Every structure is written in structure tokens, then in C-alpha cells.
Amino acid sequence: MPKLRPTRRLLAEPEHGRGKAQIVDRPGQLAHILWAASRGDLGHRNVAVIWMLFGSGMRVNEVAHLLVSDVFYSDGQLKEVFSIRGRTTKTDQHRPGFILARQHREALIAWRDQRVAEVAFTSQDGSYGGLDGDSYLFLGKRGKTWRRLAFNDKKYKTSSGAVVTTKVCGSLENLVRELLKGAGLTYGSSHSGRRTLATWLDRKGYDLELIQLILGHRNPDMTLEYIDPDLPRIKAAFQSVWKGVKPAKM
């Protein structure tokens, strides 16, 4: 018997700005966000960050903790599947991450090339595509000086109830929020990426188990909370199912 998905989320429209990040509804809307993010001296970095959130479904803090060696091989090739280290995650559990979309991969290559051109934490021997493999993938810049992102301590409670302390990057969270809001996503946040990816995969008909794997959730009920209901699609499904049934003659 197939698993039934809870339907309580369909009873009301999601209240964006009250605990749930707004999703991107259309490809064109995401394209506009990427265009807006590409403006300025750090445009390549900002576009690559957006793709890690939307394309890999990562949390912003996980993105901030990425090292060059996490996503690039020592020979300079960009990985397709990489490991998100457990100590950088909210749940303290490692999981696979994916860099598979062509646009996503091109964005990371462009950011790498900018860093190499501007000698931002580069390698001495040309390994990792010219970057220092132990340096953070994403950097800040003040004037002409490249800098590591700043982190502060924050406590989280894991699914088992244990309290863990991790380093969080508030500046990157604020940057993403500003980029999304500036592009018209009023209630957008870094979590909009994970929620958008989950919702789009669901609307394409992919199994809940696959979406759960990509997001790294232990409980499928948590994955369901990330998927926005698509009422027009549901309405079309019902109309299609009963299309051949003639009304009773009274």
C-alpha cells in the first residue's frame, strides 16, 4: 500500500514571513534573482552562493563552512557529489551534497576563476584549480583585501535532544536575505533555497524519499513541511481523474 502524505498543509495558504521562508514559484523568478545577485564586484561569489542554496539545497551555515577541497578535487575538477561535513550541519550528521546542474557548475567555476585572477587564497602548486584547498570556498572582501567570513557561536538541539554548539555566519545569512529581497522575494531567506528545491522536485513528481535524501532529513514528515502545496495542480488532478464520469440524471 502506498504511503499517504499528510494533507493538513493544504488547509491554508503558507504564511510567509512567519516561520517559513518564501519559495521561488517560477524559473523566470529565479533567473531574475541570479541576475540581481550577479551585479557588482562580488557578483560571481553571490551567484555561486545562491546556487549552493537552491541547487544543492544546503543551509546557509553549511555553505559558509565549505572548504575549497570539499567541492574541488586536487586536480582542479569540480565534484558532482561531495560530503557535507557533520560538524557543520544543524543536525550534526554528515550527508551527500550534489552539484549537477550545468548552470550551478558554471557559477562555481566562474567564482573560482575570479579568485585565481585576484590571487584570493590561492595554492602554491596549482592544485584545486589554483586555490588553497584548506581555504573557505566563499570569502568576503574589504577594499582590495580578501577576508575569511566571520563566525559566531550558536546552540542547536539535535533530533536526539542533544544540545550542540556550532559556528554560524550571520553576515552570509544577511547577504542572502538582502539579495532575495532586492530581487522581489519579500519574505525570502537562505531557507528559500531548500524549500524551493523541495517544492519543485515534488511538482515534477519525484518521490518523497528522493527529496528527503537530497535535503538530508531523517524524518519524511519534516520533508513534507518544506513542500508548498500546489493547489492548481491538485485541482487539475481531480478534474482529470473524474473526467469520464457522467453526472447522474435526476
Side-chain angles (χ1 to χ4, degrees), residues 5 20 25 29 38 45 61 71 82 91 111 148 180 205 210 214 226 236 240 250:
R5 302 188 184 187
K20 283 192 175 183
D25 284 315
Q29 189 178 14
S38 72
R45 181 203 64 179
N61 199 48
V71 300
F82 64 97
T91 59
W111 167 233
R148 295 179 176 86
L180 296 180
L210 177 64
I214 292 172
Y226 279 66
S240 175
M250 305 299 290

Side-chain angles (χ1 to χ4, degrees), residues 94-107:
H94 73 274
R95 71 177 190 276
F98 305 92
I99 307 172
L100 298 171
R102 174 184 55 80
Q103 305 94 315
H104 188 174
R105 298 179 67 80
E106 290 176 352

Side-chain angles (χ1 to χ4, degrees), residues 64-136:
H65 277 93
L66 283 173
L67 301 179
V68 168
S69 58
D70 287 331
V71 300
F72 285 97
Y73 292 110
S74 60
D75 65 1
Q77 293 297 309
L78 181 62
K79 298 177 182 179
E80 291 189 336
V81 182
F82 64 97
S83 179
I84 303 173
R85 288 166 286 125
R87 63 183 180 83
T88 72
T89 70
K90 185 176 180 180
T91 59
D92 206 32
Q93 299 291 323
H94 73 274
R95 71 177 190 276
F98 305 92
I99 307 172
L100 298 171
R102 174 184 55 80
Q103 305 94 315
H104 188 174
R105 298 179 67 80
E106 290 176 352
L108 285 169
I109 296 299
W111 167 233
R112 179 205 64 188
D113 291 348
Q114 179 181 358
R115 282 188 52 175
V116 171
E118 299 190 27
V119 197
F121 292 86
T122 53
S123 60
Q124 298 297 318
D125 57 4
S127 58
Y128 296 102
L131 301 181
D132 178 356
D134 293 327
S135 67
Y136 285 115

Side-chain angles (χ1 to χ4, degrees), residues 8-82:
R8 64 182 182 277
R9 297 173 303 110
L10 304 180
L11 299 180
E13 290 294 324
E15 294 184 83
H16 300 306
R18 295 192 176 187
K20 283 192 175 183
Q22 184 178 358
I23 72 162
V24 173
D25 284 315
R26 305 175 308 279
Q29 189 178 14
L30 180 56
H32 177 67
I33 290 171
L34 291 166
W35 176 85
S38 72
R39 304 298 90 185
D41 186 39
L42 291 174
H44 287 310
R45 181 203 64 179
N46 295 343
V47 169
V49 167
I50 294 295
W51 270 114
M52 295 308 298
L53 297 171
F54 285 81
S56 296
M58 296 179 69
R59 300 179 180 91
V60 69
N61 199 48
E62 296 165 348
V63 173
H65 277 93
L66 283 173
L67 301 179
V68 168
S69 58
D70 287 331
V71 300
F72 285 97
Y73 292 110
S74 60
D75 65 1
Q77 293 297 309
L78 181 62
K79 298 177 182 179
E80 291 189 336
V81 182
F82 64 97

Side-chain angles (χ1 to χ4, degrees), residues 78 161 225 249:
L78 181 62
E225 294 298 326
K249 294 182 179 179

Side-chain angles (χ1 to χ4, degrees), residues 176-190:
V176 171
R177 193 182 298 273
E178 290 173 4
L179 289 173
L180 296 180
K181 186 174 181 179
L185 204 66
T186 306
Y187 298 111
S189 76
S190 62

